[in-house]
Amino acid sequence: MSDDRRRERLRWHCRRGMLELDLILFKAFERHYDRLTEAELDLFERLLTLEDTTLLSCFQGGDDPPDPELKPLIQKLNQ
C-alpha cells in the first residue's frame, strides 16, 4: 500500500463517534504521522481498533490500553 493511501486511510479512521476523541486523534495524527516508524504506524492501526470509550480513557490517562504494546505510542501521541 502506498504511503499516501495508508495516510488517508488512517486519517479517515481517526473519525470517531465522540467529538473529544476526534479532536485528540486528529491533532495527534497531524502532529506525529510523518515521524512515526513503520512499527509505530502498525501500532497506530491497532490503536484505532479500540472502542471509543477505551481509547478516550487511554488518551486522558484514565486507563492503560488493553494491549500493553500500545502504551508507549499513546504516550508519544499525547506529547
Side-chain angles (χ1 to χ4, degrees):
M1 176 181 314
S2 74
D3 187 51
D4 288 339
R5 187 170 176 194
R6 185 179 196 185
R7 179 186 181 95
E8 288 308 310
R9 186 175 50 78
L10 288 174
R11 189 172 196 278
W12 174 257
H13 286 288
C14 286
R15 296 176 58 146
R16 307 302 283 229
M18 293 183 199
L19 177 60
E20 300 93 340
L21 191 53
D22 285 352
L23 296 174
I24 290 168
L25 288 175
F26 274 115
K27 183 178 176 183
F29 178 84
E30 292 298 326
R31 190 172 0 161
H32 295 282
Y33 181 85
D34 291 329
R35 295 186 309 245
L36 295 177
T37 66
E38 283 298 314
E40 288 172 328
L41 288 171
D42 292 341
L43 288 172
F44 192 77
E45 287 186 54
R46 285 177 31 202
L47 180 73
L48 294 175
T49 66
L50 296 177
E51 295 286 329
D52 288 356
T53 53
T54 302
L55 195 51
L56 183 61
S57 182
C58 291
F59 272 98
Q60 292 180 332
D63 292 317
D64 285 338
D67 181 345
E69 290 183 356
L70 296 175
K71 188 172 183 173
L73 178 63
I74 291 170
Q75 290 171 335
K76 181 176 186 170
L77 295 174
N78 264 336
Q79 295 176 351

Coordinates of all heavy atoms in Angstrom, one line a residue:
M1 N 0.9 -1.2 0.0 CA 0.0 0.0 0.0 C 0.9 1.2 0.0 O 1.9 1.3 0.7 CB -0.9 0.0 1.3 CG -1.7 1.2 1.4 SD -2.8 1.2 2.9 CE -3.5 -0.5 2.9
S2 N 0.5 2.2 -0.8 CA 1.4 3.4 -0.9 C 1.2 4.2 0.4 O 0.2 4.1 1.1 CB 0.9 4.3 -2.1 OG -0.3 4.9 -1.8
D3 N 2.2 5.0 0.7 CA 2.2 5.8 1.9 C 1.0 6.8 1.9 O 0.4 7.0 2.9 CB 3.5 6.6 2.1 CG 3.6 7.2 3.4 OD1 3.4 6.6 4.4 OD2 3.9 8.5 3.4
D4 N 0.8 7.4 0.8 CA -0.4 8.4 0.7 C -1.7 7.7 1.0 O -2.5 8.2 1.7 CB -0.4 9.0 -0.7 CG 0.7 10.0 -0.9 OD1 1.3 10.5 0.1 OD2 1.0 10.4 -2.0
R5 N -1.8 6.5 0.4 CA -3.1 5.7 0.6 C -3.2 5.3 2.1 O -4.3 5.4 2.7 CB -3.1 4.5 -0.3 CG -4.4 3.8 -0.2 CD -4.5 2.8 -1.3 NE -5.7 2.1 -1.2 CZ -6.0 0.9 -1.8 NH1 -5.1 0.4 -2.6 NH2 -7.1 0.3 -1.6
R6 N -2.1 4.9 2.7 CA -2.2 4.5 4.1 C -2.5 5.7 5.0 O -3.3 5.6 5.9 CB -0.8 3.9 4.5 CG -0.8 3.3 5.9 CD 0.5 2.7 6.3 NE 0.3 1.9 7.5 CZ 1.3 1.3 8.1 NH1 2.5 1.3 7.6 NH2 1.0 0.6 9.2
R7 N -1.8 6.8 4.7 CA -2.1 8.0 5.4 C -3.5 8.4 5.4 O -4.1 8.7 6.4 CB -1.2 9.2 4.9 CG -1.4 10.5 5.6 CD -0.6 11.6 4.9 NE -0.8 12.8 5.6 CZ 0.0 13.3 6.5 NH1 1.1 12.7 6.8 NH2 -0.2 14.4 7.2
E8 N -4.1 8.4 4.2 CA -5.5 8.8 4.1 C -6.5 7.8 4.8 O -7.5 8.2 5.4 CB -5.9 9.0 2.7 CG -5.3 10.3 2.1 CD -5.6 11.5 2.9 OE1 -6.8 11.8 3.3 OE2 -4.6 12.2 3.2
R9 N -6.1 6.5 4.7 CA -6.9 5.5 5.4 C -6.9 5.7 6.9 O -7.9 5.7 7.5 CB -6.5 4.1 5.0 CG -7.4 3.0 5.5 CD -6.9 1.6 5.0 NE -5.5 1.4 5.2 CZ -5.0 1.0 6.3 NH1 -5.7 0.9 7.4 NH2 -3.7 0.8 6.4
L10 N -5.7 5.9 7.4 CA -5.6 6.1 8.9 C -6.3 7.4 9.3 O -6.9 7.5 10.3 CB -4.1 6.1 9.3 CG -3.4 4.7 9.2 CD1 -1.9 4.9 9.5 CD2 -4.1 3.8 10.2
R11 N -6.1 8.4 8.5 CA -6.7 9.7 8.8 C -8.2 9.5 8.9 O -8.9 10.0 9.7 CB -6.3 10.7 7.8 CG -6.8 12.2 8.1 CD -6.2 13.1 7.1 NE -6.2 14.5 7.5 CZ -7.3 15.2 7.5 NH1 -8.4 14.8 6.9 NH2 -7.3 16.5 7.9
W12 N -8.8 8.8 7.9 CA -10.2 8.5 7.9 C -10.7 7.8 9.2 O -11.7 8.1 9.7 CB -10.6 7.7 6.6 CG -12.0 7.3 6.6 CD1 -12.6 6.1 6.9 CD2 -13.2 8.2 6.3 NE1 -13.9 6.1 6.8 CE2 -14.3 7.4 6.5 CE3 -13.3 9.5 6.0 CZ2 -15.6 7.9 6.2 CZ3 -14.6 10.0 5.8 CH2 -15.7 9.2 5.9
H13 N -9.9 6.8 9.6 CA -10.2 6.0 10.8 C -10.1 6.8 12.1 O -10.5 6.3 13.1 CB -9.4 4.7 10.8 CG -9.9 3.7 9.8 ND1 -11.1 3.0 9.9 CD2 -9.3 3.3 8.6 CE1 -11.2 2.3 8.9 NE2 -10.2 2.4 8.1
C14 N -9.5 8.0 12.0 CA -9.4 8.8 13.2 C -10.8 9.5 13.5 O -11.0 10.0 14.5 CB -8.3 9.9 13.0 SG -6.7 9.3 13.2
R15 N -11.7 9.4 12.5 CA -13.0 10.0 12.7 C -13.8 9.0 13.5 O -13.9 7.8 13.2 CB -13.7 10.1 11.3 CG -13.0 11.2 10.5 CD -13.6 11.3 9.2 NE -15.0 11.6 9.3 CZ -15.7 12.3 8.5 NH1 -15.1 12.8 7.4 NH2 -17.0 12.6 8.7
R16 N -14.2 9.4 14.7 CA -14.9 8.6 15.6 C -16.3 9.1 16.0 O -16.7 10.1 15.4 CB -14.1 8.4 16.9 CG -12.6 8.0 16.7 CD -12.5 6.7 15.9 NE -12.8 5.6 16.9 CZ -12.0 4.6 17.0 NH1 -10.9 4.5 16.3 NH2 -12.3 3.6 17.8
G17 N -16.9 8.5 16.9 CA -18.3 8.9 17.3 C -18.3 10.0 18.4 O -19.4 10.5 18.7
M18 N -17.2 10.3 18.9 CA -17.1 11.3 20.0 C -16.2 12.5 19.5 O -15.1 12.3 19.1 CB -16.4 10.8 21.2 CG -17.1 9.7 22.0 SD -16.1 9.3 23.4 CE -16.8 7.7 23.8
L19 N -16.8 13.7 19.7 CA -16.1 14.9 19.3 C -14.7 15.0 20.0 O -13.7 15.3 19.4 CB -16.9 16.2 19.6 CG -16.2 17.5 19.2 CD1 -15.8 17.6 17.8 CD2 -17.1 18.7 19.6
E20 N -14.7 14.7 21.3 CA -13.4 14.9 22.1 C -12.4 13.9 21.5 O -11.2 14.3 21.3 CB -13.7 14.5 23.6 CG -14.7 15.4 24.3 CD -16.1 14.8 24.2 OE1 -16.4 13.9 23.3 OE2 -16.9 15.2 25.0
L21 N -12.8 12.7 21.2 CA -11.8 11.7 20.6 C -11.4 12.1 19.2 O -10.2 12.0 18.9 CB -12.5 10.4 20.6 CG -11.6 9.2 20.3 CD1 -10.3 9.2 21.2 CD2 -12.4 7.9 20.5
D22 N -12.3 12.7 18.4 CA -12.0 13.1 17.1 C -10.9 14.2 17.2 O -9.9 14.2 16.5 CB -13.2 13.8 16.4 CG -14.1 12.8 15.8 OD1 -13.9 11.5 15.9 OD2 -15.2 13.2 15.4
L23 N -11.0 15.1 18.1 CA -10.1 16.2 18.3 C -8.7 15.7 18.7 O -7.7 16.1 18.2 CB -10.6 17.3 19.2 CG -11.9 18.0 18.8 CD1 -12.4 18.9 19.9 CD2 -11.6 18.8 17.5
I24 N -8.7 14.8 19.7 CA -7.5 14.2 20.2 C -6.8 13.4 19.0 O -5.6 13.6 18.8 CB -7.7 13.3 21.4 CG1 -8.2 14.1 22.6 CG2 -6.5 12.4 21.7 CD1 -8.7 13.2 23.7
L25 N -7.5 12.6 18.4 CA -6.9 11.7 17.3 C -6.4 12.6 16.1 O -5.3 12.3 15.6 CB -7.8 10.7 16.9 CG -8.1 9.5 17.9 CD1 -9.2 8.6 17.3 CD2 -6.8 8.8 18.2
F26 N -7.2 13.5 15.7 CA -6.7 14.3 14.5 C -5.5 15.2 14.9 O -4.6 15.3 14.1 CB -7.9 15.2 14.0 CG -8.8 14.5 13.0 CD1 -10.1 14.3 13.3 CD2 -8.3 14.1 11.8 CE1 -10.9 13.7 12.4 CE2 -9.1 13.5 10.9 CZ -10.4 13.3 11.2
K27 N -5.5 15.7 16.1 CA -4.4 16.5 16.5 C -3.1 15.7 16.5 O -2.0 16.0 16.0 CB -4.6 17.2 17.8 CG -3.6 18.1 18.3 CD -4.0 18.7 19.7 CE -2.9 19.5 20.2 NZ -3.2 20.1 21.6
A28 N -3.2 14.5 17.2 CA -2.1 13.6 17.3 C -1.6 13.1 15.9 O -0.4 13.0 15.6 CB -2.4 12.4 18.2
F29 N -2.6 12.8 15.1 CA -2.3 12.3 13.7 C -1.5 13.3 12.9 O -0.5 13.0 12.3 CB -3.6 11.9 13.0 CG -3.4 11.4 11.6 CD1 -3.0 10.1 11.3 CD2 -3.5 12.3 10.5 CE1 -2.8 9.7 10.0 CE2 -3.3 11.9 9.2 CZ -3.0 10.6 9.0
E30 N -2.0 14.5 12.9 CA -1.4 15.6 12.1 C 0.0 16.0 12.7 O 0.9 16.3 11.9 CB -2.3 16.8 12.1 CG -3.6 16.6 11.3 CD -3.3 16.3 9.8 OE1 -2.4 16.8 9.2 OE2 -4.2 15.5 9.3
R31 N 0.1 15.9 14.0 CA 1.4 16.3 14.6 C 2.5 15.2 14.4 O 3.7 15.6 14.3 CB 1.2 16.6 16.1 CG 2.4 17.3 16.7 CD 2.1 17.8 18.1 NE 0.8 17.5 18.6 CZ 0.4 17.5 19.8 NH1 1.3 17.7 20.7 NH2 -0.9 17.4 20.2
H32 N 2.1 14.0 14.5 CA 3.1 12.9 14.6 C 3.2 12.0 13.4 O 4.2 11.2 13.3 CB 2.8 12.0 15.8 CG 2.9 12.8 17.1 ND1 4.1 13.0 17.7 CD2 2.0 13.3 17.9 CE1 4.0 13.7 18.8 NE2 2.7 13.9 19.0
Y33 N 2.2 11.9 12.5 CA 2.2 10.9 11.4 C 3.5 10.8 10.7 O 4.1 9.8 10.5 CB 1.1 11.1 10.5 CG 1.0 10.1 9.4 CD1 0.4 8.9 9.6 CD2 1.7 10.2 8.2 CE1 0.4 7.9 8.7 CE2 1.7 9.2 7.2 CZ 1.1 8.1 7.5 OH 1.1 7.1 6.5
D34 N 4.1 12.0 10.2 CA 5.3 12.0 9.4 C 6.5 11.5 10.1 O 7.5 11.1 9.5 CB 5.5 13.4 8.8 CG 4.5 13.7 7.8 OD1 4.0 12.8 7.1 OD2 4.2 14.9 7.7
R35 N 6.5 11.4 11.5 CA 7.6 11.0 12.3 C 7.5 9.6 12.8 O 8.4 9.1 13.5 CB 7.9 12.0 13.4 CG 8.3 13.4 12.9 CD 8.7 14.3 14.0 NE 7.7 14.3 15.0 CZ 6.9 15.4 15.3 NH1 7.1 16.5 14.7 NH2 6.1 15.3 16.3
L36 N 6.4 8.9 12.6 CA 6.2 7.6 13.1 C 6.9 6.6 12.2 O 6.9 6.7 11.0 CB 4.7 7.2 13.1 CG 3.8 8.1 14.1 CD1 2.3 7.6 13.9 CD2 4.2 7.9 15.5
T37 N 7.5 5.6 12.9 CA 8.1 4.5 12.2 C 7.1 3.5 11.6 O 5.9 3.6 12.0 CB 9.1 3.7 13.2 OG1 8.2 3.1 14.1 CG2 10.1 4.6 13.8
E38 N 7.5 2.6 10.8 CA 6.6 1.6 10.3 C 5.9 0.8 11.4 O 4.7 0.5 11.4 CB 7.3 0.7 9.3 CG 7.5 1.3 7.9 CD 6.2 1.6 7.2 OE1 5.3 0.8 7.2 OE2 6.2 2.7 6.6
A39 N 6.7 0.4 12.4 CA 6.2 -0.3 13.5 C 5.2 0.5 14.3 O 4.2 0.0 14.7 CB 7.4 -0.7 14.4
E40 N 5.5 1.8 14.5 CA 4.5 2.7 15.2 C 3.2 2.9 14.4 O 2.1 3.0 14.9 CB 5.2 4.0 15.5 CG 6.2 3.9 16.6 CD 7.0 5.2 16.8 OE1 7.2 6.0 15.8 OE2 7.4 5.5 17.9
L41 N 3.4 2.9 13.0 CA 2.2 3.0 12.2 C 1.3 1.8 12.3 O 0.1 1.9 12.4 CB 2.5 3.3 10.7 CG 3.1 4.7 10.4 CD1 3.6 4.7 9.0 CD2 2.0 5.7 10.6
D42 N 2.0 0.6 12.4 CA 1.2 -0.6 12.6 C 0.5 -0.6 14.0 O -0.7 -1.0 14.1 CB 2.2 -1.8 12.6 CG 2.7 -2.1 11.2 OD1 2.2 -1.6 10.2 OD2 3.8 -2.8 11.1
L43 N 1.2 -0.1 15.0 CA 0.6 0.1 16.3 C -0.6 1.1 16.3 O -1.6 0.9 16.9 CB 1.6 0.5 17.4 CG 2.6 -0.5 17.8 CD1 3.7 0.1 18.7 CD2 1.9 -1.7 18.5
F44 N -0.4 2.1 15.5 CA -1.5 3.1 15.4 C -2.7 2.5 14.8 O -3.9 2.8 15.2 CB -1.0 4.3 14.5 CG -1.9 5.5 14.5 CD1 -1.9 6.4 15.6 CD2 -2.7 5.8 13.5 CE1 -2.7 7.5 15.7 CE2 -3.6 6.9 13.5 CZ -3.6 7.7 14.6
E45 N -2.5 1.6 13.8 CA -3.7 0.9 13.2 C -4.4 0.1 14.2 O -5.6 0.0 14.3 CB -3.2 0.1 12.0 CG -2.9 0.9 10.8 CD -2.6 0.0 9.6 OE1 -3.4 -0.9 9.3 OE2 -1.5 0.2 9.0
R46 N -3.6 -0.6 15.1 CA -4.2 -1.4 16.1 C -4.9 -0.6 17.1 O -5.9 -0.9 17.6 CB -3.1 -2.3 16.8 CG -2.6 -3.4 16.0 CD -1.5 -4.3 16.5 NE -1.4 -4.4 17.9 CZ -0.2 -4.7 18.5 NH1 0.9 -5.0 17.8 NH2 -0.1 -4.9 19.8
L47 N -4.3 0.6 17.4 CA -4.9 1.5 18.4 C -6.3 1.9 17.9 O -7.2 2.0 18.7 CB -4.0 2.7 18.5 CG -4.4 3.8 19.5 CD1 -4.2 3.4 20.9 CD2 -3.6 5.1 19.2
L48 N -6.4 2.2 16.7 CA -7.7 2.6 16.1 C -8.8 1.5 16.1 O -10.0 1.8 15.8 CB -7.5 3.2 14.7 CG -6.7 4.5 14.6 CD1 -6.5 4.9 13.2 CD2 -7.3 5.6 15.4
T49 N -8.4 0.3 16.5 CA -9.4 -0.8 16.6 C -10.1 -0.8 17.9 O -11.1 -1.5 18.1 CB -8.8 -2.2 16.3 OG1 -7.9 -2.5 17.3 CG2 -8.2 -2.2 14.9
L50 N -9.6 0.0 18.9 CA -10.2 0.0 20.2 C -11.5 0.7 20.2 O -11.8 1.6 19.4 CB -9.2 0.7 21.2 CG -7.8 0.1 21.5 CD1 -7.0 1.0 22.4 CD2 -8.0 -1.3 22.0
E51 N -12.3 0.3 21.2 CA -13.6 1.0 21.4 C -13.4 2.5 21.7 O -12.4 2.8 22.4 CB -14.4 0.3 22.5 CG -14.8 -1.1 22.2 CD -16.0 -1.1 21.2 OE1 -16.8 -0.2 21.2 OE2 -16.0 -2.1 20.5
D52 N -14.3 3.3 21.3 CA -14.1 4.8 21.6 C -13.9 5.1 23.0 O -13.1 5.9 23.4 CB -15.4 5.5 21.0 CG -15.4 5.6 19.5 OD1 -14.5 5.1 18.9 OD2 -16.4 6.1 19.0
T53 N -14.7 4.5 23.9 CA -14.6 4.8 25.3 C -13.3 4.4 25.9 O -12.7 5.1 26.7 CB -15.8 4.2 26.2 OG1 -15.8 2.8 25.9 CG2 -17.1 4.9 25.8
T54 N -12.8 3.3 25.5 CA -11.5 2.8 25.9 C -10.4 3.7 25.4 O -9.5 4.1 26.1 CB -11.3 1.3 25.4 OG1 -12.3 0.5 25.9 CG2 -9.9 0.8 25.8
L55 N -10.5 4.0 24.1 CA -9.5 4.9 23.5 C -9.4 6.3 24.2 O -8.3 6.7 24.5 CB -9.8 5.0 22.0 CG -8.8 5.6 21.1 CD1 -7.4 4.9 21.3 CD2 -9.2 5.4 19.7
L56 N -10.6 6.8 24.4 CA -10.6 8.1 25.1 C -10.0 8.1 26.5 O -9.2 8.9 26.9 CB -12.1 8.7 25.2 CG -12.2 10.0 25.8 CD1 -11.5 11.1 25.0 CD2 -13.7 10.4 25.9
S57 N -10.3 7.0 27.2 CA -9.8 6.9 28.6 C -8.3 6.7 28.6 O -7.6 7.2 29.4 CB -10.5 5.6 29.2 OG -10.0 5.5 30.6
C58 N -7.8 6.0 27.6 CA -6.3 5.8 27.5 C -5.6 7.1 27.2 O -4.6 7.4 27.8 CB -6.0 4.8 26.3 SG -6.5 3.1 26.7
F59 N -6.2 7.9 26.3 CA -5.6 9.2 26.0 C -5.7 10.2 27.1 O -4.9 11.1 27.2 CB -6.2 9.8 24.7 CG -5.5 9.3 23.5 CD1 -6.0 8.3 22.7 CD2 -4.3 9.9 23.0 CE1 -5.3 7.8 21.6 CE2 -3.6 9.5 21.9 CZ -4.1 8.5 21.2
Q60 N -6.7 10.1 27.9 CA -6.9 11.0 29.0 C -6.2 10.5 30.3 O -6.3 11.2 31.3 CB -8.4 11.3 29.3 CG -9.0 12.0 28.2 CD -10.5 12.3 28.4 OE1 -11.2 11.5 29.1 NE2 -11.0 13.3 27.8
G61 N -5.5 9.4 30.2 CA -4.8 8.9 31.3 C -5.6 8.1 32.4 O -5.1 7.8 33.4
G62 N -6.8 7.8 32.1 CA -7.6 7.1 33.0 C -7.3 5.6 33.1 O -7.4 5.0 34.2
D63 N -7.0 5.0 32.0 CA -6.8 3.6 31.9 C -5.6 3.3 31.0 O -5.3 4.1 30.1 CB -8.0 2.8 31.4 CG -9.2 2.8 32.3 OD1 -9.0 2.6 33.5 OD2 -10.3 3.0 31.8
D64 N -4.9 2.2 31.3 CA -3.9 1.7 30.4 C -4.7 0.9 29.2 O -5.7 0.4 29.5 CB -3.0 0.7 31.1 CG -2.0 1.4 32.0 OD1 -1.7 2.6 31.7 OD2 -1.4 0.8 32.9
P65 N -4.1 0.9 28.0 CA -4.7 0.2 27.0 C -4.7 -1.3 27.2 O -3.9 -1.8 27.9 CB -3.9 0.5 25.7 CG -2.6 1.0 26.3 CD -2.8 1.6 27.6
P66 N -5.7 -2.0 26.7 CA -5.8 -3.5 26.9 C -4.5 -4.2 26.3 O -4.2 -5.2 26.8 CB -7.1 -3.9 26.2 CG -7.5 -2.7 25.4 CD -6.8 -1.5 25.9
D67 N -3.9 -3.6 25.3 CA -2.7 -4.1 24.7 C -1.6 -3.3 25.2 O -1.4 -2.1 24.8 CB -2.9 -4.0 23.2 CG -1.6 -4.6 22.5 OD1 -0.6 -4.8 23.1 OD2 -1.8 -4.8 21.2
P68 N -0.7 -3.8 26.1 CA 0.4 -3.0 26.7 C 1.4 -2.5 25.6 O 2.0 -1.5 25.9 CB 1.1 -4.0 27.6 CG 0.3 -5.2 27.7 CD -0.7 -5.2 26.6
E69 N 1.5 -3.1 24.4 CA 2.3 -2.5 23.4 C 1.9 -1.2 22.9 O 2.7 -0.4 22.3 CB 2.4 -3.5 22.2 CG 3.2 -4.8 22.6 CD 3.3 -5.7 21.3 OE1 2.8 -5.4 20.3 OE2 4.0 -6.7 21.5
L70 N 0.6 -0.8 23.1 CA 0.1 0.5 22.7 C 0.4 1.6 23.6 O 0.4 2.8 23.2 CB -1.4 0.4 22.5 CG -1.9 -0.6 21.5 CD1 -3.4 -0.7 21.5 CD2 -1.4 -0.2 20.1
K71 N 0.8 1.3 24.8 CA 1.0 2.4 25.8 C 2.1 3.4 25.4 O 1.9 4.6 25.5 CB 1.3 1.8 27.2 CG 1.4 2.9 28.3 CD 1.5 2.3 29.7 CE 1.4 3.4 30.7 NZ 1.4 2.8 32.0
P72 N 3.3 2.9 25.0 CA 4.3 3.9 24.5 C 3.9 4.8 23.4 O 4.2 6.0 23.3 CB 5.5 3.1 24.1 CG 5.3 1.7 24.8 CD 3.8 1.6 24.9
L73 N 3.1 4.2 22.5 CA 2.6 5.0 21.3 C 1.6 6.1 21.9 O 1.7 7.2 21.4 CB 1.9 4.2 20.3 CG 1.3 4.9 19.1 CD1 2.4 5.6 18.3 CD2 0.5 4.0 18.2
I74 N 0.7 5.7 22.7 CA -0.2 6.7 23.3 C 0.5 7.8 24.0 O 0.2 9.0 23.8 CB -1.2 6.0 24.2 CG1 -2.2 5.1 23.4 CG2 -2.1 7.0 25.0 CD1 -3.0 4.2 24.2
Q75 N 1.5 7.4 24.8 CA 2.3 8.5 25.5 C 3.0 9.4 24.5 O 3.0 10.6 24.6 CB 3.4 7.8 26.3 CG 2.7 7.1 27.5 CD 3.7 6.3 28.3 OE1 4.7 5.8 27.8 NE2 3.4 6.0 29.6
K76 N 3.5 8.8 23.4 CA 4.1 9.7 22.3 C 3.1 10.6 21.7 O 3.4 11.8 21.5 CB 4.8 8.8 21.3 CG 5.5 9.5 20.2 CD 6.2 8.5 19.3 CE 7.0 9.2 18.2 NZ 7.9 8.3 17.5
L77 N 2.0 10.1 21.4 CA 0.9 10.9 20.7 C 0.4 11.9 21.6 O -0.1 13.0 21.1 CB -0.2 10.0 20.2 CG 0.2 9.0 19.1 CD1 -1.0 8.0 18.8 CD2 0.7 9.6 17.8
N78 N 0.4 11.8 22.9 CA -0.1 12.7 23.8 C 0.9 13.9 24.1 O 0.5 14.9 24.7 CB -0.3 12.1 25.2 CG -1.8 11.7 25.3 OD1 -2.7 12.2 24.7 ND2 -2.1 10.7 26.2
Q79 N 2.1 13.8 23.5 CA 3.1 14.9 23.7 C 2.8 16.1 22.9 O 2.3 16.0 21.8 CB 4.5 14.4 23.4 CG 5.0 13.3 24.3 CD 6.3 12.8 23.9 OE1 6.9 13.1 22.9 NE2 6.9 12.0 24.8

